[in-house]
Amino acid sequence: MELLTADEGRLALSYARSVLHEHIAGTPYGEPSWPAIFSRKRGVFVTLTIHGDLRGCIGYPYPVLPLKEAIHDAACTASTEDPRFPPVKSDELSHISVEVTILTEPKLLEVAPDMRASAIEVGKYGLIVKGYGRSGLLLPQVPVEWGWNTREFLDHTCNKAGLPAKSWLESSVQVFTFEGQIFSEKHD
């Protein structure tokens, strides 16, 4: 995966914040000069927190849109359409911290189910679990924030998919890994 530079990461964050302000408060922003990487299709998630508590997190696990468009859509959707939270209000914007995670393309973890936990490195990989017509995703930073080991990470990703915790041990359940380049504001 072609990594973003520190300046491009700051631009991604600034753009996500500007999109939030436009989407929630109607505040217009000027389009910056876009480096070429923002026109390439990339997976991305935008995470919103207030004082360390999750306020919204939505994104695209696969590279289906140019990065600029994916950030725009993810920021808007995370702020108003995450089903776990009510829509963000304009008076919350100054308290929100924004995090943008740029993803590598997910790859099927091709090991026996009982070897999956040993093939995953906490803090390096994010996970997608697919099975029984359901899927769930957790970003690479989640198990670090919660202090989970690999088995707990797999269990929680299964739960996110609406599956029983140990479903990752079933051969009919697929586990995908991806990496993420994380850019974060530090307001909390």
Side-chain angles (χ1 to χ4, degrees):
M1 168 175 97
E2 181 183 358
L3 297 177
L4 274 68
T5 65
D7 284 343
E8 290 166 343
R10 283 189 288 276
L11 179 59
L13 278 173
S14 171
Y15 180 58
R17 169 135 330 256
S18 295
V19 167
L20 283 178
H21 280 267
E22 179 192 52
H23 186 63
I24 303 298
T27 308
Y29 64 92
E31 284 284 327
S33 173
W34 292 105
I37 197 163
F38 285 87
S39 64
R40 296 188 189 110
K41 291 182 179 179
R42 300 293 291 274
V44 66
F45 271 74
V46 173
T47 304
L48 309 176
T49 57
I50 295 180
H51 307 299
D53 294 326
L54 186 62
R55 188 61 180 84
C57 182
I58 299 283
Y60 293 94
Y62 294 93
V64 295
L65 291 173
L67 181 56
K68 176 184 172 256
E69 290 176 41
I71 291 170
H72 183 281
D73 289 358
C76 290
T77 306
S79 67
T80 57
E81 296 179 40
D82 187 324
R84 300 169 291 182
F85 304 99
V88 170
K89 296 181 176 134
S90 59
D91 63 349
E92 293 178 281
L93 288 172
S94 63
H95 303 287
I96 285 182
S97 290
V98 177
E99 184 174 86
V100 176
T101 305
I102 313 298
L103 311 183
T104 62
E105 189 148 355
K107 293 181 183 172
L108 181 63
L109 187 59
E110 297 191 50
V111 298
D114 63 341
M115 298 300 295
R116 288 173 172 164
S118 62
I120 295 167
E121 185 180 330
V122 168
K124 179 177 182 179
Y125 296 115
L127 297 177
I128 298 172
V129 169
K130 290 184 179 182
Y132 302 101
R134 300 171 174 260
S135 68
L137 177 148
L138 289 175
L139 296 172
Q141 55 270 44
V142 171
V144 175
E145 292 167 1
W146 288 94
W148 296 337
N149 63 34
T150 54
R151 290 178 175 274
E152 292 168 321
F153 188 20
L154 283 158
D155 287 346
H156 283 283
T157 310
C158 288
N159 291 152
K160 182 86 182 275
L163 300 171
K166 302 294 180 216
S167 297
W168 57 270
L169 289 165
E170 298 176 27
S171 59
S172 61
V173 172
Q174 296 178 308
V175 176
F176 296 80
T177 62
F178 59 88
E179 294 180 46
Q181 189 180 13
I182 303 160
F183 298 99
S184 184
E185 297 177 339
K186 300 295 181 193
H187 291 163
D188 296 334

